[in-house]
Amino acid sequence: MTQLLNGKFLLASPYLPDSNFQRTVVFMVKHDVDGALGLVLTRPSDLRLQQLLESTMGSSGVREDLVYLGGPVEGPLCALHEDANLADLDCEGGLFVTSEQESIILLANRPNARVRFFAGYSGWGAGQLESEMKSGGWLTCDATADEVFGNFEPLWESLVKRVGRSIIGEAVPFASNVDSQMN
C-alpha cells in the first residue's frame, strides 16, 4: 500500500463497473492494510433524520437533515462531524465519525453543527480498493470540511475537474519542455 487515503475523497471514474458508485464522491473514513471504509457524500435518501431517530432510537432531534446513503453495506446510523469529543474515529483534517446512539442524539440536537448523517457505508476488504484504483476505477484528491458539508449536487463534477486540471497541470511542464527542445 503506497498511500493511505484517510480523510481524502474517492471519485468514481467512468471506468468503475459498480453501479452503486456511479458519479459518487466517497469520503474516506479509514484506510489501512486490513481494508477501507468510506461514506458516499452524493447520495441523499428521502428519509429525514427525525423520522429515523424516532423509529430506531425512540428519540428525536431538532435537525431535519436528509439521511445520506453511505454505501451499499448495511450498518448503523452514523454521523460525520467536527466534534472530537463525540468521535469514535478520527478521519483526519478535523473530521470525525460516530455511530454511538448518545452522540448521534447530541449531534441531532445541535442545529448549527456541521454534520452529515448516514445509513450504511462503503467498505472494501484488504487490497480490494487498491485493485480497483489500479484498474482506473477511482480517482483521489484532498478533502476539505467545506466540501464535505457543502452542496452535494455539484461535488462529483467539480472534483473531477479539479483532478483533471491537476493532471493537465502536471503534464504541462513536460509538454512545454518538449516543445522548447523541438524548436
Side-chain angles (χ1 to χ4, degrees):
M1 179 180 307
T2 57
Q3 177 189 14
L4 294 180
L5 299 173
N6 299 333
K8 302 230 185 244
F9 286 136
L10 277 184
L11 315 171
S13 86
Y15 302 107
L16 187 66
D18 189 338
S19 62
N20 288 306
F21 294 106
Q22 185 177 16
R23 294 180 62 93
T24 60
V25 176
V26 179
F27 177 76
M28 294 304 297
V29 171
K30 183 178 180 187
H31 182 220
D32 59 27
V33 295
D34 296 324
L37 181 132
L39 298 168
V40 175
L41 299 176
T42 51
R43 294 272 195 262
S45 71
D46 294 329
L47 190 60
R48 294 281 176 179
L49 178 63
Q50 285 185 340
Q51 297 168 313
L52 188 59
L53 290 176
E54 288 172 5
S55 67
T56 61
M57 297 181 186
S59 183
S60 65
V62 297
R63 298 181 70 106
E64 296 187 18
D65 300 40
L66 288 175
V67 176
Y68 285 74
L69 302 174
V73 182
E74 286 189 37
L77 178 65
C78 68
L80 177 60
H81 58 89
E82 296 177 300
D83 188 340
N85 296 318
L86 301 177
D88 294 344
L89 284 171
D90 182 343
C91 306
E92 298 188 16
L95 297 173
F96 307 92
V97 169
T98 187
S99 61
E100 294 293 325
Q101 182 174 337
E102 298 81 20
S103 297
I104 298 271
I105 292 169
L106 284 171
L107 289 164
N109 283 294
R110 294 183 180 169
N112 296 322
R114 293 203 308 176
V115 59
R116 285 226 176 153
F117 298 91
F118 297 88
Y121 65 93
S122 302
W124 294 265
Q128 182 182 3
L129 178 58
E130 292 79 6
S131 176
E132 290 177 11
M133 290 176 70
K134 193 173 188 176
S135 66
W138 296 100
L139 305 169
T140 63
C141 68
D142 291 336
T144 68
D146 288 341
E147 291 166 322
V148 166
F149 298 116
N151 183 359
F152 72 90
E153 290 178 359
L155 189 59
W156 181 84
E157 188 173 335
S158 68
L159 293 174
V160 166
K161 287 178 181 176
R162 180 197 309 166
V163 170
R165 283 190 303 271
S166 171
I167 292 168
I168 291 169
E170 291 171 7
V172 169
F174 175 75
S176 298
N177 189 24
V178 169
D179 289 342
S180 67
Q181 290 177 0
M182 296 182 90
N183 291 328

